[in-house]
Amino acid sequence: MAIPHIRFRQRLTLAIALPVVLPLLLSGISIWQITRLLSALESVDRTGQVIAQANSAQKLVLDMETGFRGYLLTGESEFLEPYEQASALIEPSLEELQNLVADNPSQTQRIVELTAEFRRWEQQVLPAIARRQRGGLEPLSELRSRKQLVDQMRQQIATFVATEEQLRDQRSQRAQAATQSVIVTSGLLAIGIGVILAYFIYRQILRVSQAYEGALQTAQARTQESEQSAISLQRSAQRLAALHDVDRAILATELDKPLIDNALTQMGQVVPYQEALVAVFDLEAETAQVLAGIRQTGDLTMPVGTRLALADFAPEQSLLHGVRYIQNLPTAESCPPVLVRLRSHGFLSCLCVPLRVNNTLVGALNLSSVKPAAFDEEAQEIAVEVANQLAIALQQSRLRWRLQATNQQLQHELQERLQAEMELREQEQLFRSTFNQAAVGIAHVNSDGRWLRVNEKLCQIVGYTRSELLQRTFQDITYSEDLDIDVAYFHQMLADEIQTYSMEKRYIRKDHSLVWINLTVSLVRKSTREPDYFIAVVEDISDRKQAEDALQQLNDTLEQRVRERTAQLAETNQELEAFTYSVSHDLRAPLRTMQGFAQALLEDCGDQIENFCKSYVDSIIDDAVQMNGLISDLLDYSRLTRTQINLQPTNLNEVVAEALKQSTAQIEEKQAQINVAAALPSVIAHRSTLIQAVTNLVGNAIKFVASTTQPQIDIFAEETYQDEVRWVRLWIVDNGIGIGPEHQERIFRVFERLHGAESYPGTGIGLAIVRKGLERMGGQAGVESQLGHGSRFWIALPGVVLALNEETHDLTPPHSPDR
Amino acid sequence: MNTEHTILLVEDNPKDVFLVQRAARKAGITTPLQVVSDGDAAVGYLSGDAPYGDRAAYPLPVLVLLDLKLPRRSGAEVLLWIRQHPHLRRLPVVVLTSSRQYTDINHIYDLGANAYIVKPPDLDQLVDILTTLNLHWITYNEKPQFDMM
């Protein structure tokens, strides 16, 4: 306020100076006018004086003249006395009169003329007196002249006086005018100045008064401001108190519920909420958790620890956009579930402040009130401040946890390292002793092949001392024939083409003998992948080599023998093939035509042949059929030995059914009764070979029965375990003639027959095929029998491993074989 | 019966030829049956070489009955020759032989035989077989187109 202050002083100065200056001016003007008036009055006075002086001078002249005339008349001197007295006075009187009118030339001129006339009169008087004294008479001329002079003088004075009186009148009038003008101007001036002063003072006072009022208002405003700032200071103090707890939490870098509660309580003194909740967000999991809360009355709408979806708490978008203030909850649109809950608890307004750190949303502060629009701007500001502090505190707290976790991890790692170091030391000790005391030679070799470190065993193997060995390279002591391969490997390894190699080679011992060793080499590389050194493990294999050599020789011999035998076998096999081929074609062809022509003979010429002759032809046909069967069986048998057999799970039910089907003619012919167990298991077999075997066994069972007996055959299976392998044994039990124990092995051989063709015709190959077939399938075949008591033939094959859901088979023989 | 068609029987055994011809007769087959007795003759007949140059006398068969065990050129070789022949490769060939050896059967099918039948010792069966073959290949079967030689 410097400028108003200066203006104020200027105005004050003006207000004081003007009333002083203006009366001074008025006084000056009055003095000047009064001076003029005085001067006018003075000149009137002087004119009066002049007139008086002129009258006085006239009187003196008259006195002189009177005295003189008396004297002349009387001659007495006493009449002369007035003359004499006046004569002494008249000169100064005239001089004075001249002085008085010195400013008026015409008057002065008159005085000068008067003075001159007087002197001329006097000059005439004096001789007249003198003549009178002598008694003489006065001439009349002189009298006349003197009288003329006196008249002139009188006239002169009278003019003078008249002039002066005129002057005096003029001056009196002028003084009077001056007096009037003084009075008028003084009055006008006094009025003018008074008006000016009054106006000026009014103005000044008005201004000062305005300035004062302005100042007063400012002062009042200031006062109000300071009052308000006092109030806000108090609020700030409360805010500070509220924030102080949060600060403490930040300083302590921990945030527990009581601290937050305290902060919220503090805030409650300045922010009119009924419930305050602090929730932290996990943005990755999209959940929010209530961390702390305060409700003035009653329980929290959401207890501490409540976890809910972030979307339930508030749409993230809205929180990112800043404070959300819902003035009237019941009318608010699209409330998230949390707000709905608040509403249901009777809250009418709500302030949701995001807790953000560096633009990262970490949580929210939710203030609710039972009054609508409860949070004014200041409350919001405070809430935001508290929220900011809380956010920082939360973040700090999180950082601290992270720091602690990192610390723990570091400590853990440190311990692990220490542990590892100890283990490393132990291992190093272990390795050192392993290296030195190993039962194999171990060495480190540099990339030139020079031995860097060698153990005792290696020295023993090559017969050099350690120091001798360290002066050599591996090339020096490698047998020349083995060197190229080793060096080639060595370079491959340096080139990173192979990681490791093993080879058997020979070293030249110090005593020049050779020693076979098995060498295994690996390469240790530096962290830059440059080769550092090789690790060579050297095992003395002289003994093994000797044994191997011997074995090799033996093997060679054996292989030679096997080759020879194989060649022989191949030759035999080839011969057999040719034989089989020949049999199947050439041997059969004549048989077939023989049978064909015999049939043709019967058909074409049957009526020309005697009956007994027809029986001859029948015999030829029978034999041909017999021979054809034999050849077929032989070929079957032969094929069994040669063809490839693929084993696979085979259902015995199907196999038995197929075999019975193939034997239908035989069964019907003999009216055989056949009982097959309900469910037979599966086996690992070659299906067609197995069918052939079963067919042969069934055929035998039907065939070798006394002619008076009806064949009865039971077919069933049983399971046995042998060497933990599940075996299935299929039994074909007949009521036939039986087989004596001495023949029970023979019957499985080719062409072995126990009976003549007339009683039981056959080729003698059937059982051989059974046994051979079973052998090819990895199974077995056999018989239990007693002469006259039937036979119990069996075949055994590996069973199929039962699946869990497979039904249990009835493996027991039927109760009544007669059924 | 279509008498325009011809069956070529490749069989070296005259007795078998006789029995086949007899069975054909018994089966009532009127289709002419040309017979050659070895593999080379079969190839010569099919090629139209002398002495089989006259196609009127020796017409191209619609079916070949081929024995496997033949002099000079085996049945398998004849079959291979037919299947590799640019014009005759679609000719139906039924192998009629004594052998039942599995290696033979598989090999012959691999070469492209249309059927493999083992000669039966029984004459009635032979008649059955010929009846069936006639019905199948001559009567009902649609003949393939042969590219002109």
Side-chain angles (χ1 to χ4, degrees):
Chain A
M1 298 295 279
I3 293 171
H5 184 64
I6 290 169
R7 203 172 287 165
F8 181 76
R9 284 182 65 176
Q10 283 175 342
R11 282 178 187 163
L12 196 66
T13 311
L14 272 175
I16 292 169
L18 210 62
V20 171
V21 170
L22 281 177
L24 276 179
L25 191 65
L26 183 65
S27 306
I29 292 169
S30 299
I31 287 167
W32 173 66
Q33 283 192 323
I34 288 166
T35 309
R36 270 180 59 202
L37 184 63
L38 284 177
S39 165
L41 288 174
E42 196 181 14
S43 64
V44 171
D45 274 359
R46 211 167 56 212
T47 312
Q49 221 175 340
V50 169
I51 292 168
Q53 192 71 34
N55 288 331
S56 165
Q58 190 178 20
K59 193 187 146 210
L60 283 172
V61 167
L62 287 175
D63 281 351
M64 280 178 76
E65 207 250 341
T66 312
F68 172 62
R69 267 186 226 168
Y71 178 68
L72 272 177
L73 284 169
T74 69
E76 296 237 338
S77 61
E78 144 195 25
F79 284 93
L80 218 29
E81 205 174 311
Y83 168 80
E84 283 175 355
Q85 281 180 347
S87 177
L89 287 172
I90 193 134
E91 281 284 339
S93 177
L94 283 174
E95 276 177 27
E96 194 178 340
L97 195 61
Q98 196 177 345
N99 285 341
L100 281 171
V101 293
D103 55 340
N104 194 329
S106 62
Q107 291 291 76
T108 305
Q109 187 60 40
R110 278 190 189 102
I111 296 301
V112 169
E113 287 173 4
L114 184 62
T115 306
E117 283 164 351
F118 172 69
R119 279 183 188 145
R120 267 184 294 156
W121 179 79
E122 205 175 25
Q123 281 170 350
Q124 288 175 9
V125 166
L126 283 170
I129 293 173
R131 231 181 303 163
R132 184 66 190 132
Q133 272 174 350
R134 274 172 309 164
L137 270 169
E138 244 312 320
L140 198 42
S141 65
E142 282 199 31
L143 264 160
R144 274 188 201 150
S145 128
R146 279 191 310 262
K147 188 181 170 283
Q148 202 180 350
L149 275 174
V150 170
D151 285 344
Q152 275 182 339
M153 279 196 316
R154 272 192 190 155
Q155 187 62 40
Q156 202 79 287
I157 287 169
T159 306
F160 183 87
V161 169
T163 303
E164 279 296 314
E165 276 182 347
Q166 199 181 347
L167 200 64
R168 191 184 62 185
D169 287 345
Q170 284 176 356
R171 287 186 178 170
S172 288
Q173 280 179 354
R174 207 181 295 168
Q176 207 173 348
T179 305
Q180 282 177 345
S181 122
V182 165
I183 289 166
V184 171
T185 50
S186 293
L188 285 174
L189 270 174
I191 290 167
I193 287 172
V195 167
I196 289 170
L197 263 182
Y199 175 71
F200 176 76
I201 286 169
Y202 165 75
R203 282 276 311 273
Q204 289 301 320
I205 286 173
L206 192 66
R207 284 187 187 174
V208 168
S209 135
Q210 278 175 346
Y212 174 73
E213 274 181 13
L216 196 63
Q217 278 176 352
T218 313
Q220 277 179 340
R222 291 246 173 100
T223 309
Q224 279 181 344
E225 272 176 25
S226 58
E227 274 174 9
Q228 277 185 341
S229 59
I231 292 169
S232 65
L233 200 65
Q234 197 182 350
R235 292 231 162 216
S236 295
Q238 284 175 325
R239 264 193 225 192
L240 277 176
L243 297 177
H244 179 65
D245 291 302
V246 186
D247 278 346
R248 258 171 52 209
I250 295 168
L251 285 175
T253 62
E254 59 186 17
L255 195 69
D256 51 4
K257 189 181 170 301
L259 265 170
I260 302 178
D261 286 349
N262 196 12
L264 294 177
T265 311
Q266 291 282 350
M267 186 172 66
Q269 295 175 4
V270 280
V271 177
Y273 68 81
Q274 269 75 50
E275 186 189 69
L277 284 174
V278 173
V280 287
F281 296 164
D282 187 340
L283 292 181
E284 282 176 15
E286 295 199 334
T287 56
Q289 187 175 18
V290 177
L291 190 65
I294 280 196
R295 188 169 178 183
Q296 311 289 22
T297 52
D299 292 332
L300 287 169
T301 52
M302 283 182 292
V304 169
T306 304
R307 191 181 285 275
L308 63 166
L310 192 53
D312 288 351
F313 200 88
E316 192 183 326
Q317 297 298 328
S318 72
L319 281 172
L320 280 175
H321 287 146
V323 177
R324 203 152 71 105
Y325 178 30
I326 297 172
Q327 299 198 14
N328 197 346
L329 265 177
T331 60
E333 295 171 10
S334 68
C335 286
V338 171
L339 294 189
V340 173
R341 196 186 294 196
L342 286 175
R343 193 159 63 190
S344 68
H345 278 73
F347 289 107
L348 291 184
S349 59
C350 162
L351 182 68
C352 189
V353 186
L355 304 183
R356 279 187 297 199
V357 176
N358 299 331
N359 281 333
T360 307
L361 191 63
V362 296
L365 169 64
N366 222 27
L367 301 178
S368 325
S369 173
V370 292
K371 293 179 192 161
F375 305 105
D376 59 7
E377 257 181 52
E378 191 200 9
Q380 291 183 26
E381 275 174 27
I382 293 169
V384 168
E385 271 181 55
V386 171
N388 287 343
Q389 299 284 41
L390 280 174
I392 293 168
L394 273 175
Q395 191 67 7
Q396 293 276 55
S397 174
R398 285 181 182 181
L399 286 176
R400 185 181 145 96
W401 277 112
R402 225 174 280 169
L403 196 67
Q404 280 181 344
T406 314
N407 257 347
Q408 283 178 345
Q409 198 183 337
L410 279 175
Q411 276 189 344
H412 187 63
E413 277 178 17
L414 190 67
Q415 277 194 335
E416 277 185 349
R417 284 220 186 143
L418 284 173
Q419 182 74 23
E421 204 174 314
M422 268 174 61
E423 283 172 9
L424 203 66
R425 225 172 281 159
E426 283 173 17
Q427 285 206 339
E428 197 187 318
Q429 187 62 35
L430 199 66
F431 281 138
R432 193 177 295 279
S433 50
T434 307
F435 185 87
N436 286 330
Q437 292 159 30
V440 291
I442 303 178
H444 292 172
V445 179
N446 74 3
S447 53
D448 298 327
R450 186 164 298 282
W451 303 103
L452 298 174
R453 287 170 283 277
V454 293
N455 72 348
E456 190 53 42
K457 181 66 181 179
L458 185 64
C459 295
Q460 287 174 15
I461 292 172
V462 294
Y464 287 100
T465 65
R466 190 184 296 261
S467 56
E468 285 169 341
L469 203 52
L470 291 183
Q471 287 168 1
R472 288 170 169 74
T473 63
F474 79 85
Q475 294 95 326
D476 291 339
I477 62 164
T478 298
Y479 184 55
S480 55
E481 283 181 19
D482 301 333
L483 188 57
D484 288 348
I485 302 173
D486 196 359
V487 170
Y489 276 138
F490 196 74
H491 286 302
Q492 273 185 304
M493 215 153 164
L494 279 175
D496 212 1
E497 290 166 8
I498 54 173
Q499 301 305 310
T500 174
Y501 71 89
S502 284
M503 66 177 293
E504 290 179 358
K505 68 169 194 176
R506 284 158 287 188
Y507 279 141
I508 306 162
R509 288 171 59 86
K510 193 181 179 185
D511 59 11
H512 301 297
S513 63
L514 293 179
V515 56
W516 270 104
I517 57 107
N518 182 48
L519 172 70
T520 302
V521 182
S522 51
L523 176 58
V524 177
R525 288 182 182 274
K526 295 172 188 167
S527 55
T528 57
R529 295 295 297 153
E530 283 175 63
D532 197 352
Y533 59 87
F534 290 88
I535 301 172
V537 177
V538 177
E539 188 186 359
D540 186 344
I541 54 166
S542 316
D543 294 343
R544 201 190 83 198
K545 269 287 167 187
Q546 281 180 1
E548 269 181 9
D549 284 347
L551 200 65
Q552 187 62 42
Q553 279 182 354
L554 193 65
N555 263 350
D556 289 348
T557 316
L558 275 174
E559 273 179 26
Q560 180 62 30
R561 281 156 80 180
V562 166
R563 268 197 297 276
E564 286 168 8
R565 191 63 64 84
T566 308
Q568 284 174 3
L569 277 174
E571 201 178 325
T572 312
N573 216 23
Q574 230 169 0
E575 283 169 12
L576 197 63
E577 285 273 338
F579 172 74
T580 309
Y581 192 71
S582 174
V583 166
S584 62
H585 282 92
D586 300 346
L587 221 56
R588 276 182 145 178
L591 264 178
R592 195 177 55 248
T593 49
M594 192 166 88
Q595 188 182 346
F597 277 102
Q599 262 185 312
L601 179 65
L602 285 179
E603 282 173 20
D604 297 350
C605 323
D607 46 354
Q608 302 166 28
I609 306 175
E610 294 292 329
N611 274 348
F612 73 95
C613 292
K614 280 185 190 168
S615 73
Y616 297 164
V617 177
D618 284 340
S619 291
I620 294 172
I621 292 172
D622 286 349
D623 278 5
V625 170
Q626 162 79 9
M627 180 107 177
N628 205 32
L630 188 62
I631 290 172
S632 285
D633 282 357
L634 269 174
L635 285 173
D636 285 345
Y637 183 78
S638 159
R639 190 171 63 236
L640 261 185
T641 62
R642 285 179 297 116
T643 51
Q644 181 96 28
I645 278 181
N646 294 322
L647 299 180
Q648 53 196 24
T650 308
N651 189 331
L652 273 183
N653 293 307
E654 292 172 11
V655 167
V656 169
E658 179 63 28
L660 293 180
K661 193 177 153 194
Q662 289 187 11
S663 311
T664 310
Q666 249 180 312
I667 293 167
E668 283 174 1
E669 186 191 342
K670 288 282 183 76
Q671 297 288 305
Q673 210 175 6
I674 301 181
N675 299 315
V676 182
L680 301 172
S682 294
V683 292
I684 302 294
H686 182 243
R687 184 180 155 84
S688 58
T689 304
L690 186 56
I691 288 170
Q692 190 169 24
V694 174
T695 307
N696 290 0
L697 288 176
V698 170
N700 278 0
I702 296 169
K703 187 161 69 178
F704 296 104
V705 176
S707 54
T708 55
T709 314
Q710 183 192 24
Q712 287 204 339
I713 301 168
D714 291 316
I715 300 176
F716 58 91
E718 67 175 16
E719 284 183 74
T720 57
Y721 284 87
Q722 191 176 332
D723 300 336
E724 293 185 4
V725 177
R726 180 169 161 266
W727 287 82
V728 173
R729 193 173 276 215
L730 182 72
W731 289 92
I732 290 119
V733 179
D734 62 48
N735 58 345
I737 53 175
I739 305 154
E742 68 276 20
H743 302 304
Q744 285 176 5
E745 200 47 43
R746 217 152 62 92
I747 53 170
F748 287 102
R749 295 183 202 149
V750 188
F751 301 124
E752 286 290 347
R753 289 178 55 78
L754 299 178
H755 310 281
E758 290 187 8
S759 49
Y760 301 104
T763 58
I765 299 177
L767 286 177
I769 287 177
V770 171
R771 174 157 282 186
K772 179 60 87 177
L774 266 297
E775 278 175 7
R776 290 298 313 270
M777 292 188 288
Q780 289 175 321
V783 65
E784 294 173 4
S785 181
Q786 268 191 317
L787 205 55
H789 289 86
S791 303
R792 297 162 57 86
F793 282 90
W794 57 264
I795 54 176
L797 284 164
V800 172
V801 177
L802 281 170
L804 282 176
N805 56 351
E806 201 172 337
E807 55 189 289
T808 313
H809 300 295
D810 180 14
L811 302 170
T812 51
H815 290 298
S816 166
D818 305 320
R819 187 165 50 97
Chain B
M1 280 300 146
N2 195 337
T3 53
E4 289 173 14
H5 299 313
T6 300
I7 297 173
L8 178 63
L9 176 65
V10 187
E11 175 60 69
D12 63 327
N13 187 342
K15 293 170 188 164
D16 270 334
V17 172
F18 172 80
L19 289 175
V20 168
Q21 283 171 331
R22 182 179 175 275
R25 205 165 50 245
K26 286 218 155 195
I29 295 171
T30 55
T31 310
L33 193 68
Q34 294 281 350
V35 180
V36 291
S37 60
D38 65 62
D40 280 352
V43 169
Y45 183 100
L46 291 171
S47 305
D49 297 338
Y52 307 105
D54 182 4
R55 273 283 177 247
Y58 305 104
L60 263 186
V62 291
L63 177 68
V64 176
L65 297 176
L66 183 65
D67 190 15
L68 287 182
K69 195 147 188 345
L70 292 168
R72 300 191 183 181
R73 202 188 286 222
S74 75
E77 284 170 309
V78 173
L79 180 57
L80 182 65
W81 179 85
I82 292 171
R83 289 295 174 245
Q84 288 179 346
H85 196 277
H87 308 302
L88 301 171
R89 60 183 192 279
R90 302 187 194 116
L91 183 61
V93 176
V94 172
V95 170
L96 195 63
T97 183
S98 314
S99 172
R100 192 180 265 132
Q101 295 295 89
Y102 289 119
T103 50
D104 277 353
I105 295 172
N106 293 338
H107 179 54
I108 295 304
Y109 273 119
D110 288 345
L111 288 178
N114 295 85
Y116 189 107
I117 294 168
V118 176
K119 291 173 192 163
D122 190 89
L123 274 188
D124 296 339
Q125 283 180 17
L126 191 59
V127 173
D128 277 353
I129 287 166
L130 280 165
T131 308
T132 309
L133 284 178
N134 186 59
L135 272 175
H136 186 143
W137 291 107
I138 309 299
T139 307
Y140 294 126
N141 191 46
E142 288 295 331
K143 316 302 178 287
Q145 298 295 311
F146 294 121
D147 301 318
M148 290 309 293
M149 290 180 85

